[in-house]
Short mmCIF file of all heavy atoms in Angstrom, two decimals:
data_model
loop_
_atom_site.label_atom_id
_atom_site.label_comp_id
_atom_site.label_asym_id
_atom_site.label_seq_id
_atom_site.Cartn_x
_atom_site.Cartn_y
_atom_site.Cartn_z
N MET Q 1 0.86 -1.18 0.00
CA MET Q 1 -0.01 0.00 0.00
C MET Q 1 0.88 1.24 0.00
O MET Q 1 1.84 1.33 0.75
CB MET Q 1 -0.88 -0.02 1.26
CG MET Q 1 -1.76 1.19 1.34
SD MET Q 1 -3.09 1.09 2.57
CE MET Q 1 -2.20 1.03 4.09
N VAL Q 2 0.59 2.20 -0.87
CA VAL Q 2 1.33 3.45 -0.97
C VAL Q 2 0.60 4.52 -0.15
O VAL Q 2 -0.59 4.74 -0.31
CB VAL Q 2 1.45 3.90 -2.45
CG1 VAL Q 2 2.18 5.21 -2.53
CG2 VAL Q 2 2.17 2.83 -3.24
N SER Q 3 1.35 5.20 0.72
CA SER Q 3 0.70 6.28 1.50
C SER Q 3 1.07 7.62 0.87
O SER Q 3 2.15 7.83 0.36
CB SER Q 3 1.17 6.24 2.94
OG SER Q 3 2.54 6.50 3.04
N THR Q 4 0.11 8.51 0.91
CA THR Q 4 0.31 9.86 0.39
C THR Q 4 0.75 10.76 1.53
O THR Q 4 0.11 10.79 2.58
CB THR Q 4 -0.97 10.44 -0.23
OG1 THR Q 4 -1.45 9.50 -1.20
CG2 THR Q 4 -0.76 11.77 -0.86
N VAL Q 5 1.87 11.43 1.37
CA VAL Q 5 2.40 12.26 2.41
C VAL Q 5 2.06 13.72 2.02
O VAL Q 5 2.35 14.16 0.93
CB VAL Q 5 3.94 12.10 2.56
CG1 VAL Q 5 4.45 13.02 3.62
CG2 VAL Q 5 4.25 10.67 2.86
N ALA Q 6 1.46 14.42 2.93
CA ALA Q 6 1.04 15.80 2.69
C ALA Q 6 2.22 16.76 2.86
O ALA Q 6 3.20 16.46 3.50
CB ALA Q 6 -0.08 16.19 3.65
N TRP Q 7 2.06 17.87 2.22
CA TRP Q 7 3.00 18.99 2.43
C TRP Q 7 2.55 19.78 3.63
O TRP Q 7 1.41 19.66 4.07
CB TRP Q 7 3.01 19.91 1.20
CG TRP Q 7 3.68 19.35 -0.01
CD1 TRP Q 7 4.34 18.16 -0.14
CD2 TRP Q 7 3.75 19.99 -1.29
NE1 TRP Q 7 4.80 18.05 -1.45
CE2 TRP Q 7 4.45 19.17 -2.15
CE3 TRP Q 7 3.25 21.20 -1.77
CZ2 TRP Q 7 4.70 19.49 -3.48
CZ3 TRP Q 7 3.49 21.55 -3.09
CH2 TRP Q 7 4.22 20.71 -3.93
N LYS Q 8 3.41 20.65 4.11
CA LYS Q 8 3.06 21.59 5.20
C LYS Q 8 3.29 23.00 4.66
O LYS Q 8 4.33 23.29 4.09
CB LYS Q 8 3.93 21.37 6.42
CG LYS Q 8 3.59 20.11 7.19
CD LYS Q 8 4.15 20.14 8.56
CE LYS Q 8 3.79 18.89 9.35
NZ LYS Q 8 2.42 18.75 9.65
N ALA Q 9 2.31 23.88 4.87
CA ALA Q 9 2.43 25.28 4.51
C ALA Q 9 2.34 26.10 5.78
O ALA Q 9 1.40 25.93 6.57
CB ALA Q 9 1.29 25.67 3.55
N GLU Q 10 3.30 26.98 5.97
CA GLU Q 10 3.32 27.82 7.16
C GLU Q 10 3.63 29.26 6.75
O GLU Q 10 4.34 29.52 5.78
CB GLU Q 10 4.40 27.33 8.14
CG GLU Q 10 4.13 25.94 8.67
CD GLU Q 10 5.23 25.43 9.59
OE1 GLU Q 10 6.39 25.86 9.44
OE2 GLU Q 10 4.94 24.58 10.40
N ILE Q 11 3.07 30.20 7.51
CA ILE Q 11 3.36 31.62 7.33
C ILE Q 11 3.92 32.15 8.65
O ILE Q 11 3.31 31.98 9.69
CB ILE Q 11 2.09 32.41 6.94
CG1 ILE Q 11 1.59 31.92 5.58
CG2 ILE Q 11 2.38 33.90 6.91
CD1 ILE Q 11 0.32 32.62 5.08
N ASP Q 12 5.07 32.77 8.58
CA ASP Q 12 5.69 33.38 9.75
C ASP Q 12 5.00 34.71 10.03
O ASP Q 12 5.15 35.66 9.23
CB ASP Q 12 7.18 33.59 9.52
CG ASP Q 12 7.92 34.12 10.71
OD1 ASP Q 12 7.28 34.78 11.59
OD2 ASP Q 12 9.15 33.90 10.80
N PRO Q 13 4.26 34.85 11.13
CA PRO Q 13 3.53 36.09 11.40
C PRO Q 13 4.48 37.29 11.64
O PRO Q 13 4.07 38.43 11.48
CB PRO Q 13 2.69 35.79 12.62
CG PRO Q 13 3.35 34.61 13.25
CD PRO Q 13 4.02 33.86 12.15
N GLN Q 14 5.72 36.98 12.03
CA GLN Q 14 6.69 38.06 12.24
C GLN Q 14 7.15 38.68 10.93
O GLN Q 14 7.56 39.84 10.86
CB GLN Q 14 7.90 37.57 13.04
CG GLN Q 14 7.56 37.04 14.40
CD GLN Q 14 7.01 38.11 15.31
OE1 GLN Q 14 7.46 39.26 15.31
NE2 GLN Q 14 5.93 37.77 16.04
N LEU Q 15 7.07 37.90 9.85
CA LEU Q 15 7.52 38.39 8.53
C LEU Q 15 6.34 38.87 7.66
O LEU Q 15 6.51 39.72 6.81
CB LEU Q 15 8.26 37.27 7.80
CG LEU Q 15 9.58 36.81 8.40
CD1 LEU Q 15 10.14 35.66 7.59
CD2 LEU Q 15 10.57 37.95 8.47
N CYS Q 16 5.17 38.29 7.87
CA CYS Q 16 3.99 38.57 7.02
C CYS Q 16 3.61 40.04 7.07
O CYS Q 16 3.49 40.63 8.17
CB CYS Q 16 2.81 37.73 7.45
SG CYS Q 16 1.35 37.97 6.47
N ILE Q 17 3.44 40.65 5.91
CA ILE Q 17 2.99 42.05 5.80
C ILE Q 17 1.57 42.17 5.27
O ILE Q 17 1.12 43.27 4.98
CB ILE Q 17 3.97 42.87 4.94
CG1 ILE Q 17 4.02 42.33 3.50
CG2 ILE Q 17 5.38 42.93 5.54
CD1 ILE Q 17 4.80 43.20 2.53
N ALA Q 18 0.88 41.02 5.20
CA ALA Q 18 -0.53 40.99 4.80
C ALA Q 18 -0.74 41.61 3.43
O ALA Q 18 -1.73 42.32 3.21
CB ALA Q 18 -1.42 41.65 5.86
N SER Q 19 0.13 41.30 2.49
CA SER Q 19 -0.03 41.84 1.13
C SER Q 19 -1.22 41.18 0.41
O SER Q 19 -1.81 41.75 -0.50
CB SER Q 19 1.24 41.63 0.29
OG SER Q 19 1.36 40.25 -0.06
N GLY Q 20 -1.54 39.95 0.82
CA GLY Q 20 -2.63 39.20 0.20
C GLY Q 20 -2.24 38.51 -1.07
O GLY Q 20 -3.07 37.91 -1.76
N ALA Q 21 -0.98 38.58 -1.45
CA ALA Q 21 -0.52 37.93 -2.67
C ALA Q 21 -0.77 36.42 -2.64
O ALA Q 21 -1.19 35.85 -3.64
CB ALA Q 21 0.96 38.20 -2.93
N CYS Q 22 -0.54 35.80 -1.48
CA CYS Q 22 -0.74 34.37 -1.39
C CYS Q 22 -2.21 33.99 -1.59
O CYS Q 22 -2.53 33.04 -2.29
CB CYS Q 22 -0.25 33.84 -0.06
SG CYS Q 22 -0.99 34.65 1.41
N ALA Q 23 -3.10 34.76 -0.99
CA ALA Q 23 -4.54 34.51 -1.14
C ALA Q 23 -5.00 34.79 -2.57
O ALA Q 23 -5.91 34.15 -3.07
CB ALA Q 23 -5.34 35.36 -0.16
N GLY Q 24 -4.35 35.69 -3.24
CA GLY Q 24 -4.67 36.00 -4.64
C GLY Q 24 -4.28 34.84 -5.56
O GLY Q 24 -4.95 34.51 -6.50
N VAL Q 25 -3.12 34.23 -5.29
CA VAL Q 25 -2.59 33.16 -6.10
C VAL Q 25 -3.26 31.82 -5.78
O VAL Q 25 -3.57 31.04 -6.67
CB VAL Q 25 -1.05 33.02 -5.92
CG1 VAL Q 25 -0.51 31.75 -6.54
CG2 VAL Q 25 -0.35 34.21 -6.49
N ALA Q 26 -3.53 31.60 -4.51
CA ALA Q 26 -4.11 30.31 -4.06
C ALA Q 26 -5.15 30.53 -2.97
O ALA Q 26 -4.95 30.22 -1.82
CB ALA Q 26 -2.98 29.41 -3.55
N PRO Q 27 -6.32 31.06 -3.34
CA PRO Q 27 -7.37 31.38 -2.36
C PRO Q 27 -7.89 30.14 -1.63
O PRO Q 27 -8.44 30.27 -0.52
CB PRO Q 27 -8.46 32.06 -3.17
CG PRO Q 27 -8.23 31.65 -4.57
CD PRO Q 27 -6.76 31.40 -4.72
N GLU Q 28 -7.74 28.95 -2.21
CA GLU Q 28 -8.16 27.72 -1.51
C GLU Q 28 -7.19 27.34 -0.43
O GLU Q 28 -7.53 26.53 0.45
CB GLU Q 28 -8.33 26.58 -2.53
CG GLU Q 28 -9.33 26.83 -3.59
CD GLU Q 28 -8.76 27.65 -4.76
OE1 GLU Q 28 -7.52 27.87 -4.79
OE2 GLU Q 28 -9.53 28.05 -5.64
N LEU Q 29 -5.97 27.87 -0.48
CA LEU Q 29 -4.92 27.46 0.44
C LEU Q 29 -4.60 28.54 1.50
O LEU Q 29 -4.12 28.18 2.59
CB LEU Q 29 -3.64 27.08 -0.32
CG LEU Q 29 -3.80 25.98 -1.36
CD1 LEU Q 29 -2.51 25.83 -2.15
CD2 LEU Q 29 -4.22 24.70 -0.71
N PHE Q 30 -4.73 29.82 1.15
CA PHE Q 30 -4.36 30.92 2.04
C PHE Q 30 -5.45 31.95 2.11
O PHE Q 30 -6.13 32.23 1.09
CB PHE Q 30 -3.06 31.58 1.52
CG PHE Q 30 -1.88 30.66 1.47
CD1 PHE Q 30 -1.56 30.02 0.26
CD2 PHE Q 30 -1.11 30.40 2.59
CE1 PHE Q 30 -0.47 29.17 0.17
CE2 PHE Q 30 -0.04 29.51 2.50
CZ PHE Q 30 0.28 28.91 1.32
N VAL Q 31 -5.60 32.56 3.28
CA VAL Q 31 -6.58 33.64 3.47
C VAL Q 31 -5.92 34.82 4.20
O VAL Q 31 -5.00 34.63 5.00
CB VAL Q 31 -7.81 33.17 4.28
CG1 VAL Q 31 -8.61 32.14 3.50
CG2 VAL Q 31 -7.43 32.65 5.64
N LEU Q 32 -6.39 35.98 3.90
CA LEU Q 32 -5.99 37.19 4.62
C LEU Q 32 -6.86 37.28 5.84
O LEU Q 32 -8.09 37.29 5.75
CB LEU Q 32 -6.14 38.41 3.73
CG LEU Q 32 -5.52 39.71 4.22
CD1 LEU Q 32 -4.07 39.53 4.49
CD2 LEU Q 32 -5.74 40.81 3.21
N ASP Q 33 -6.24 37.29 7.01
CA ASP Q 33 -6.99 37.23 8.27
C ASP Q 33 -6.52 38.37 9.17
O ASP Q 33 -5.62 38.22 9.97
CB ASP Q 33 -6.75 35.87 8.93
CG ASP Q 33 -7.62 35.63 10.16
OD1 ASP Q 33 -8.60 36.37 10.34
OD2 ASP Q 33 -7.32 34.68 10.91
N GLY Q 34 -7.11 39.56 8.97
CA GLY Q 34 -6.69 40.71 9.76
C GLY Q 34 -5.36 41.22 9.33
O GLY Q 34 -5.12 41.52 8.15
N ALA Q 35 -4.42 41.27 10.28
CA ALA Q 35 -3.11 41.85 10.03
C ALA Q 35 -2.14 40.87 9.38
O ALA Q 35 -1.01 41.25 9.08
CB ALA Q 35 -2.52 42.39 11.33
N HIS Q 36 -2.57 39.62 9.18
CA HIS Q 36 -1.68 38.61 8.61
C HIS Q 36 -2.45 37.68 7.71
O HIS Q 36 -3.67 37.53 7.85
CB HIS Q 36 -1.01 37.76 9.70
CG HIS Q 36 -0.18 38.55 10.63
ND1 HIS Q 36 -0.64 39.00 11.83
CD2 HIS Q 36 1.06 39.05 10.51
CE1 HIS Q 36 0.32 39.71 12.44
NE2 HIS Q 36 1.37 39.73 11.63
N SER Q 37 -1.74 37.02 6.85
CA SER Q 37 -2.31 35.92 6.07
C SER Q 37 -2.06 34.64 6.87
O SER Q 37 -1.17 34.61 7.74
CB SER Q 37 -1.64 35.79 4.70
OG SER Q 37 -1.90 36.94 3.93
N ARG Q 38 -2.82 33.61 6.53
CA ARG Q 38 -2.63 32.35 7.19
C ARG Q 38 -3.03 31.25 6.23
O ARG Q 38 -3.89 31.47 5.36
CB ARG Q 38 -3.41 32.22 8.48
CG ARG Q 38 -4.91 32.24 8.31
CD ARG Q 38 -5.63 31.97 9.64
NE ARG Q 38 -7.06 32.11 9.47
CZ ARG Q 38 -7.86 31.19 8.91
NH1 ARG Q 38 -7.34 30.05 8.49
NH2 ARG Q 38 -9.14 31.39 8.79
N PRO Q 39 -2.46 30.05 6.38
CA PRO Q 39 -2.91 28.94 5.57
C PRO Q 39 -4.29 28.48 6.05
O PRO Q 39 -4.58 28.54 7.24
CB PRO Q 39 -1.86 27.86 5.80
CG PRO Q 39 -1.12 28.23 7.03
CD PRO Q 39 -1.32 29.71 7.24
N VAL Q 40 -5.12 28.04 5.13
CA VAL Q 40 -6.44 27.50 5.47
C VAL Q 40 -6.24 26.25 6.32
O VAL Q 40 -6.88 26.05 7.32
CB VAL Q 40 -7.25 27.20 4.21
CG1 VAL Q 40 -8.54 26.46 4.55
CG2 VAL Q 40 -7.55 28.48 3.46
N ARG Q 41 -5.25 25.42 5.92
CA ARG Q 41 -4.82 24.26 6.68
C ARG Q 41 -3.31 24.20 6.62
O ARG Q 41 -2.72 24.52 5.59
CB ARG Q 41 -5.35 22.94 6.02
CG ARG Q 41 -6.81 22.68 6.25
CD ARG Q 41 -7.20 21.36 5.57
NE ARG Q 41 -8.01 21.31 4.39
CZ ARG Q 41 -8.36 22.25 3.53
NH1 ARG Q 41 -7.91 23.45 3.66
NH2 ARG Q 41 -9.14 22.05 2.52
N THR Q 42 -2.68 23.70 7.66
CA THR Q 42 -1.20 23.55 7.64
C THR Q 42 -0.84 22.36 6.77
O THR Q 42 0.08 22.46 5.98
CB THR Q 42 -0.69 23.36 9.09
OG1 THR Q 42 -1.06 24.49 9.86
CG2 THR Q 42 0.80 23.27 9.08
N ASP Q 43 -1.52 21.23 6.95
CA ASP Q 43 -1.25 20.06 6.14
C ASP Q 43 -2.07 20.14 4.86
O ASP Q 43 -3.30 20.27 4.93
CB ASP Q 43 -1.58 18.78 6.88
CG ASP Q 43 -0.67 18.53 8.08
OD1 ASP Q 43 0.53 18.91 7.98
OD2 ASP Q 43 -1.12 17.99 9.08
N ILE Q 44 -1.40 20.12 3.74
CA ILE Q 44 -2.07 20.21 2.45
C ILE Q 44 -1.64 19.11 1.51
O ILE Q 44 -0.55 18.53 1.71
CB ILE Q 44 -1.82 21.59 1.77
CG1 ILE Q 44 -0.31 21.80 1.53
CG2 ILE Q 44 -2.40 22.72 2.61
CD1 ILE Q 44 0.04 23.07 0.75
N ALA Q 45 -2.43 18.84 0.51
CA ALA Q 45 -2.04 17.90 -0.53
C ALA Q 45 -0.95 18.59 -1.37
O ALA Q 45 -0.84 19.83 -1.36
CB ALA Q 45 -3.23 17.53 -1.39
N GLU Q 46 -0.15 17.81 -2.07
CA GLU Q 46 0.86 18.41 -2.96
C GLU Q 46 0.11 19.31 -3.96
O GLU Q 46 -0.80 18.86 -4.64
CB GLU Q 46 1.59 17.32 -3.71
CG GLU Q 46 2.46 16.48 -2.79
CD GLU Q 46 3.26 15.45 -3.54
OE1 GLU Q 46 3.43 15.55 -4.78
OE2 GLU Q 46 3.77 14.53 -2.90
N ASP Q 47 0.48 20.58 -3.98
CA ASP Q 47 -0.23 21.55 -4.81
C ASP Q 47 0.76 22.63 -5.26
O ASP Q 47 1.29 23.37 -4.42
CB ASP Q 47 -1.37 22.16 -4.01
CG ASP Q 47 -2.33 22.97 -4.83
OD1 ASP Q 47 -1.91 23.60 -5.85
OD2 ASP Q 47 -3.52 23.01 -4.49
N GLU Q 48 0.97 22.71 -6.56
CA GLU Q 48 1.90 23.67 -7.13
C GLU Q 48 1.54 25.12 -6.74
O GLU Q 48 2.43 25.96 -6.61
CB GLU Q 48 1.89 23.50 -8.66
CG GLU Q 48 2.95 24.27 -9.38
CD GLU Q 48 4.35 23.68 -9.23
OE1 GLU Q 48 4.48 22.48 -8.87
OE2 GLU Q 48 5.31 24.41 -9.51
N ARG Q 49 0.25 25.36 -6.50
CA ARG Q 49 -0.15 26.74 -6.11
C ARG Q 49 0.44 27.16 -4.78
O ARG Q 49 0.67 28.36 -4.55
CB ARG Q 49 -1.66 26.86 -6.10
CG ARG Q 49 -2.29 26.75 -7.51
CD ARG Q 49 -3.76 26.63 -7.46
NE ARG Q 49 -4.13 25.48 -6.60
CZ ARG Q 49 -5.31 25.31 -6.06
NH1 ARG Q 49 -6.25 26.16 -6.24
NH2 ARG Q 49 -5.56 24.24 -5.31
N ALA Q 50 0.69 26.21 -3.89
CA ALA Q 50 1.34 26.56 -2.60
C ALA Q 50 2.75 27.08 -2.86
O ALA Q 50 3.19 28.04 -2.25
CB ALA Q 50 1.36 25.33 -1.68
N LEU Q 51 3.45 26.44 -3.79
CA LEU Q 51 4.80 26.89 -4.15
C LEU Q 51 4.74 28.23 -4.85
O LEU Q 51 5.56 29.10 -4.59
CB LEU Q 51 5.48 25.85 -5.03
CG LEU Q 51 5.70 24.48 -4.40
CD1 LEU Q 51 6.28 23.51 -5.42
CD2 LEU Q 51 6.60 24.59 -3.18
N ASP Q 52 3.74 28.43 -5.70
CA ASP Q 52 3.59 29.70 -6.38
C ASP Q 52 3.36 30.83 -5.37
O ASP Q 52 3.92 31.93 -5.46
CB ASP Q 52 2.43 29.66 -7.37
CG ASP Q 52 2.67 28.74 -8.55
OD1 ASP Q 52 3.84 28.40 -8.83
OD2 ASP Q 52 1.68 28.35 -9.21
N ALA Q 53 2.50 30.56 -4.38
CA ALA Q 53 2.22 31.55 -3.33
C ALA Q 53 3.51 31.89 -2.54
O ALA Q 53 3.78 33.05 -2.25
CB ALA Q 53 1.15 31.05 -2.37
N ALA Q 54 4.28 30.86 -2.22
CA ALA Q 54 5.53 31.12 -1.49
C ALA Q 54 6.47 31.95 -2.35
O ALA Q 54 7.18 32.86 -1.86
CB ALA Q 54 6.21 29.80 -1.10
N ASP Q 55 6.48 31.68 -3.64
CA ASP Q 55 7.37 32.42 -4.57
C ASP Q 55 6.98 33.89 -4.68
O ASP Q 55 7.85 34.75 -4.81
CB ASP Q 55 7.34 31.79 -5.96
CG ASP Q 55 7.99 30.42 -6.03
OD1 ASP Q 55 8.72 30.05 -5.08
OD2 ASP Q 55 7.74 29.72 -7.02
N VAL Q 56 5.69 34.21 -4.67
CA VAL Q 56 5.27 35.61 -4.87
C VAL Q 56 5.17 36.43 -3.61
O VAL Q 56 4.98 37.62 -3.68
CB VAL Q 56 3.90 35.69 -5.63
CG1 VAL Q 56 3.98 35.03 -6.97
CG2 VAL Q 56 2.75 35.18 -4.83
N CYS Q 57 5.32 35.81 -2.44
CA CYS Q 57 5.21 36.52 -1.18
C CYS Q 57 6.34 37.58 -1.10
O CYS Q 57 7.52 37.21 -1.11
CB CYS Q 57 5.33 35.56 -0.01
SG CYS Q 57 5.31 36.41 1.60
N PRO Q 58 5.98 38.86 -1.03
CA PRO Q 58 7.00 39.90 -1.03
C PRO Q 58 7.87 39.89 0.25
O PRO Q 58 8.98 40.42 0.23
CB PRO Q 58 6.25 41.20 -1.16
CG PRO Q 58 4.86 40.90 -0.68
CD PRO Q 58 4.64 39.44 -0.99
N ALA Q 59 7.35 39.31 1.32
CA ALA Q 59 8.09 39.27 2.58
C ALA Q 59 8.79 37.95 2.82
O ALA Q 59 9.46 37.77 3.84
CB ALA Q 59 7.15 39.56 3.75
N MET Q 60 8.65 37.00 1.86
CA MET Q 60 9.24 35.66 2.01
C MET Q 60 8.79 35.01 3.32
O MET Q 60 9.58 34.37 4.01
CB MET Q 60 10.75 35.73 1.90
CG MET Q 60 11.24 36.42 0.69
SD MET Q 60 11.92 35.47 -0.67
CE MET Q 60 12.66 34.09 -0.01
N ALA Q 61 7.52 35.18 3.67
CA ALA Q 61 7.01 34.72 4.94
C ALA Q 61 6.45 33.30 4.86
O ALA Q 61 6.19 32.69 5.90
CB ALA Q 61 5.88 35.66 5.44
N ILE Q 62 6.27 32.76 3.66
CA ILE Q 62 5.67 31.45 3.49
C ILE Q 62 6.76 30.39 3.31
O ILE Q 62 7.69 30.57 2.52
CB ILE Q 62 4.72 31.42 2.28
CG1 ILE Q 62 3.61 32.43 2.45
CG2 ILE Q 62 4.17 30.01 2.04
CD1 ILE Q 62 2.76 32.62 1.22
N THR Q 63 6.59 29.27 4.03
CA THR Q 63 7.48 28.14 3.88
C THR Q 63 6.62 26.91 3.56
O THR Q 63 5.60 26.71 4.20
CB THR Q 63 8.27 27.84 5.17
OG1 THR Q 63 8.99 29.01 5.53
CG2 THR Q 63 9.21 26.69 5.00
N VAL Q 64 7.03 26.16 2.53
CA VAL Q 64 6.35 24.93 2.18
C VAL Q 64 7.34 23.81 2.34
O VAL Q 64 8.48 23.90 1.86
CB VAL Q 64 5.81 24.97 0.73
CG1 VAL Q 64 5.11 23.64 0.41
CG2 VAL Q 64 4.87 26.15 0.51
N GLN Q 65 6.93 22.77 3.08
CA GLN Q 65 7.79 21.61 3.30
C GLN Q 65 7.15 20.39 2.69
O GLN Q 65 5.92 20.25 2.71
CB GLN Q 65 7.98 21.35 4.78
CG GLN Q 65 8.71 22.45 5.53
CD GLN Q 65 8.83 22.15 7.01
OE1 GLN Q 65 8.36 21.14 7.51
NE2 GLN Q 65 9.48 23.05 7.72
N ASP Q 66 7.99 19.50 2.14
CA ASP Q 66 7.47 18.23 1.64
C ASP Q 66 7.22 17.29 2.81
O ASP Q 66 7.45 17.64 3.97
CB ASP Q 66 8.38 17.63 0.58
CG ASP Q 66 9.75 17.15 1.12
OD1 ASP Q 66 9.91 17.07 2.35
OD2 ASP Q 66 10.59 16.84 0.28
N GLY Q 67 6.73 16.12 2.50
CA GLY Q 67 6.38 15.14 3.53
C GLY Q 67 7.54 14.64 4.36
O GLY Q 67 7.34 14.08 5.44
N GLU Q 68 8.75 14.92 3.92
CA GLU Q 68 9.94 14.50 4.69
C GLU Q 68 10.55 15.66 5.44
O GLU Q 68 11.65 15.53 6.00
CB GLU Q 68 10.95 13.86 3.71
CG GLU Q 68 10.42 12.59 3.11
CD GLU Q 68 11.39 11.94 2.14
OE1 GLU Q 68 12.56 12.32 2.13
OE2 GLU Q 68 10.96 11.02 1.40
N GLY Q 69 9.90 16.82 5.44
CA GLY Q 69 10.37 17.96 6.21
C GLY Q 69 11.35 18.83 5.48
O GLY Q 69 11.90 19.77 6.07
N ARG Q 70 11.60 18.59 4.19
CA ARG Q 70 12.49 19.43 3.42
C ARG Q 70 11.79 20.66 2.93
O ARG Q 70 10.65 20.55 2.45
CB ARG Q 70 13.06 18.67 2.21
CG ARG Q 70 13.99 17.54 2.55
CD ARG Q 70 14.53 16.90 1.28
NE ARG Q 70 13.38 16.34 0.52
CZ ARG Q 70 13.28 15.06 0.18
NH1 ARG Q 70 14.23 14.21 0.51
NH2 ARG Q 70 12.23 14.63 -0.50
N VAL Q 71 12.41 21.81 3.04
CA VAL Q 71 11.82 23.05 2.53
C VAL Q 71 11.91 23.01 1.01
O VAL Q 71 12.97 22.89 0.42
CB VAL Q 71 12.54 24.30 3.09
CG1 VAL Q 71 12.02 25.55 2.47
CG2 VAL Q 71 12.39 24.37 4.61
N ILE Q 72 10.72 23.14 0.36
CA ILE Q 72 10.64 23.13 -1.07
C ILE Q 72 10.12 24.45 -1.63
O ILE Q 72 10.10 24.67 -2.84
CB ILE Q 72 9.80 21.95 -1.60
CG1 ILE Q 72 8.40 21.98 -1.00
CG2 ILE Q 72 10.50 20.63 -1.30
CD1 ILE Q 72 7.45 20.95 -1.61
N GLY Q 73 9.70 25.33 -0.79
CA GLY Q 73 9.22 26.64 -1.19
C GLY Q 73 9.45 27.63 -0.09
O GLY Q 73 9.41 27.30 1.07
N PRO Q 74 9.85 28.85 -0.47
CA PRO Q 74 9.89 29.34 -1.82
C PRO Q 74 11.08 28.72 -2.62
O PRO Q 74 12.05 28.30 -2.04
CB PRO Q 74 10.09 30.84 -1.70
CG PRO Q 74 10.66 31.03 -0.33
CD PRO Q 74 10.19 29.90 0.49
N ARG Q 75 10.85 28.70 -3.92
CA ARG Q 75 11.90 28.12 -4.80
C ARG Q 75 12.93 29.20 -5.08
O ARG Q 75 12.63 30.39 -5.09
CB ARG Q 75 11.25 27.67 -6.09
CG ARG Q 75 10.28 26.51 -5.90
CD ARG Q 75 9.50 26.20 -7.11
NE ARG Q 75 8.39 27.13 -7.26
CZ ARG Q 75 7.28 26.91 -7.94
NH1 ARG Q 75 7.11 25.77 -8.55
NH2 ARG Q 75 6.32 27.81 -8.02
N PRO Q 76 14.18 28.74 -5.30
CA PRO Q 76 15.26 29.73 -5.57
C PRO Q 76 15.06 30.44 -6.88
O PRO Q 76 14.41 30.00 -7.77
CB PRO Q 76 16.53 28.88 -5.60
CG PRO Q 76 16.12 27.47 -5.48
CD PRO Q 76 14.66 27.38 -5.24
#
């Protein structure tokens, strides 16, 4: 049996400037919540839009990790 390992999406509230770019790119994954953005869920299915959101964040506040804990976003 093959198990599917979820990614983790996190936003550092100390870095987040609430630009809303992440919610604009991936509204199913990120929401603007007052003074900060936040992921809808921390554990997510593999989704390229999470990486896109991390890439466009002007404050580099979003981190995406694969199922093994490696940081895969933002991409270099």
